[in-house]
Amino acid sequence: MDLLVKFEVGKHVRPAKRLGQALGVWLLLAAPAWAFSDLQFRVQGGSEELRTALERASLIRQAQAQNVVDPLEVFSTARAEYGRLIGVFYEQGYYAPQISVRVDGREAADISPLDPPAQVREIVVELVPGPAFEFGRAQIAPLAQGTVLPEGFAPGAPARSTAIREATGTAIDQWRAQGHAKAEPTGQAITANHPARALDVAITLTPGPRLTFGALRPDGQQAVRPERIVEIAGLPTGEVFDPEQIDRAAQRLRATGTFSSVALREAEAANADGSLDIAANVVEAPPRRIGAGIEYDTERGGKLSGFWLHRNFLGGAERFRIEGMVDGLAARAGGLDYSLGIEFSRPATFTPDTTLTFELLAETEKEPDFEARRVRADVKLVHRFSDDLSFSGGLGVLAERADFGPALGIRRDYRLLLLPFDATYDRRDDERNPRSGYYLNASLTPFYGTGATGAGARGTADARGYYPVGERVVLAGRAQLGAVYGPGLFATPRDFLFYSGGGGSVRGQPYRSLGVTTGGVFSGGKGFASTTLELRMQATDTIGLAAFADAGYVSAGTFTGASAWHAGAGIGIRYDTVIGPLRLDVGFPVRGTTGRGAQLYLGIGQAF
């Protein structure tokens, strides 16, 4: 909203004027490169907050900092200084300022744009704020039911122009939230009463009719079918207009990853039936993408991964991803592991917030205490209740053949029917490099196995928190729990058991070094817990430092029977990149016998 002020008493302040077409001729003329060598910026009176705001907003100060040398550009900047600074005065509640911008002794506003100075040596900016104003009358009408205006817009409060804009915006938003999509300010009476040092404000609103959602009209798509854009957006056609529904529709489209740009815009005018159409302007992202990752662990060795992704596999914003991994390169323990995964997801299945996914994973593992080959397939529905909360549930099957025990002499074949459930609540400010917020995840997978496995359930919990200490330090913490209920230790698939040690649990301890020994057989356990505390400090704009302490616990039963715990601590360095921080950690054992000494970890992204 533009702010117009009628002065009853006071000195006229000349606003900045457009230079006009004639000035464009001068821009084409060669001018000698004289830099103004002296700038004096004086503020007589006013608060320290006002002084700081004026200095930061000054175009002249910015030009000097940027080493502007062209005298014509300096002169143009000086003439624009009036408009910039008077806006700052209004924002701070000063409505009778005196502004002087002298270029080599002459007022910049009095110099004709047709006769600009050939050189500029000195600029003097003198500002006299005058008295601070308060609101005399502060009125916006009519207001929607339940509207609460900001506290700063009230009689006796500092008469800041920003308070007027904020209050008007709040009033308009409340009308829009109740279906009046075309609510707008249609009148204003703003008067500065200088003797009383008061600003009287009366804003008139026109709510307009209560509207409903009309049709969503996609525009800009090339390969994605328009009807799928409508389904994914999920705009509730026929329901009362609600701007939050527009925001959610845009977020659903962005969440598919199919579009590089999404903008939903309301039609200029409502339809005859009282509905309002919405245009969905989209720009499709490149449909195919490839990527790779690398990690290194002193004990486990190198890990290479790569993927191929199609963002619009069947023309309906479906995602198809193939990912492969090789782990254990130059490992000190275990052997090479391989995995190949395929994932297909279809957004807006059954509801706009529900995604159907199919997952298939085939992998091999060669660890010091077992070797396994397994195949797992899952079909799930993932529902997003909000931007923060999601829930998934489905059906899966797992087939695993494992050799373990002394000389890997025990062989077990596991065949399981799975019912996986998962819930995530994510309030982190940044997924890749969080500085505040928290993350909660819980999973429960009931299963039924043939043969000796029988029925049971596997559950996990993961809680992470981030607390900023000043601008450059973050205290981060993590706690993990895991448990298997039902079958005995030997009757449990190796993929369901828990170990501790390595980059995902306890740094400073070798990968999967902590397990349990039952009947002379070393393996993972049915109970697991770990904690991590990390202090992160941003040393420079791109370099970060970290200090951490980790501890882990594993038990043979579900937190019963034989058990052990170990701990590690260390330091790390981070280097910020566009894909997240590169991470290098060095961990040392604190409790527990490893015989390995320091452990090195290299990866992309924070440890958690």
Side-chain angles (χ1 to χ4, degrees), residues 421-422 441-445 458-462 480-483 498 528:
F421 298 97
D422 185 275
N441 173 264
S443 70
L444 179 65
T445 305
R458 184 180 193 267
T460 64
D462 185 356
Q480 299 179 82
L481 289 174
F498 299 98
F528 165 75

Side-chain angles (χ1 to χ4, degrees), residues 29-110:
L29 300 179
W34 294 89
F36 62 101
S37 57
D38 187 21
L39 170 62
Q40 299 181 44
F41 197 94
R42 307 167 185 163
V43 182
Q44 300 178 22
S47 66
E48 187 63 31
E49 179 186 1
L50 174 63
R51 292 169 180 264
T52 301
L54 289 167
E55 291 177 356
R56 289 179 177 175
S58 170
L59 297 174
I60 289 294
R61 291 181 69 93
Q62 294 174 21
Q64 186 185 48
Q66 296 169 5
N67 295 319
V68 175
V69 298
D70 189 310
L72 186 56
E73 186 173 354
V74 172
F75 168 64
S76 301
T77 303
R79 287 179 60 86
E81 186 83 333
Y82 298 97
R84 170 62 69 92
L85 296 183
I86 199 170
V88 175
F89 279 119
Y90 287 180
E91 290 175 358
Q92 297 291 326
Y94 294 86
Y95 291 90
Q98 299 178 31
I99 303 176
S100 173
V101 181
R102 296 193 299 275
V103 178
D104 290 332
R106 293 192 296 167
E107 195 67 39
D110 295 335

Side-chain angles (χ1 to χ4, degrees), residues 289 291-292 305-311 313 318-324 340-345 358 360:
R289 181 186 176 191
S305 61
F307 70 87
W308 178 86
L309 170 69
H310 199 297
R311 294 185 172 100
F313 192 59
E318 303 89 354
R319 292 169 66 89
F320 182 73
R321 179 185 176 108
I322 301 175
E323 184 169 6
L340 178 65
I342 298 174
E343 179 182 350
F344 173 85
S345 63
F358 296 92
L360 179 64

Side-chain angles (χ1 to χ4, degrees), residues 301-381:
K303 176 181 177 181
L304 299 177
S305 61
F307 70 87
W308 178 86
L309 170 69
H310 199 297
R311 294 185 172 100
N312 185 34
F313 192 59
L314 300 178
E318 303 89 354
R319 292 169 66 89
F320 182 73
R321 179 185 176 108
I322 301 175
E323 184 169 6
M325 182 271 293
V326 179
D327 197 3
L329 299 169
R332 297 170 66 176
L336 290 174
D337 297 340
Y338 302 93
S339 73
L340 178 65
I342 298 174
E343 179 182 350
F344 173 85
S345 63
R346 182 184 188 271
T349 302
F350 303 123
T351 78
D353 293 306
T354 306
T355 299
L356 174 67
T357 67
F358 296 92
E359 299 174 356
L360 179 64
L361 175 66
E363 61 180 349
T364 66
E365 281 190 278
K366 286 188 177 182
E367 302 298 335
D369 60 307
F370 75 89
E371 292 184 2
R373 298 180 297 278
R374 70 180 62 93
V375 176
R376 177 169 175 170
D378 291 274
V379 55
K380 300 178 183 178
L381 289 174

Side-chain angles (χ1 to χ4, degrees), residues 378-393:
D378 291 274
V379 55
K380 300 178 183 178
L381 289 174
V382 181
H383 185 80
R384 296 192 67 88
F385 291 93
S386 67
D387 292 341
D388 305 321
L389 179 63
S390 64
F391 177 83
S392 71

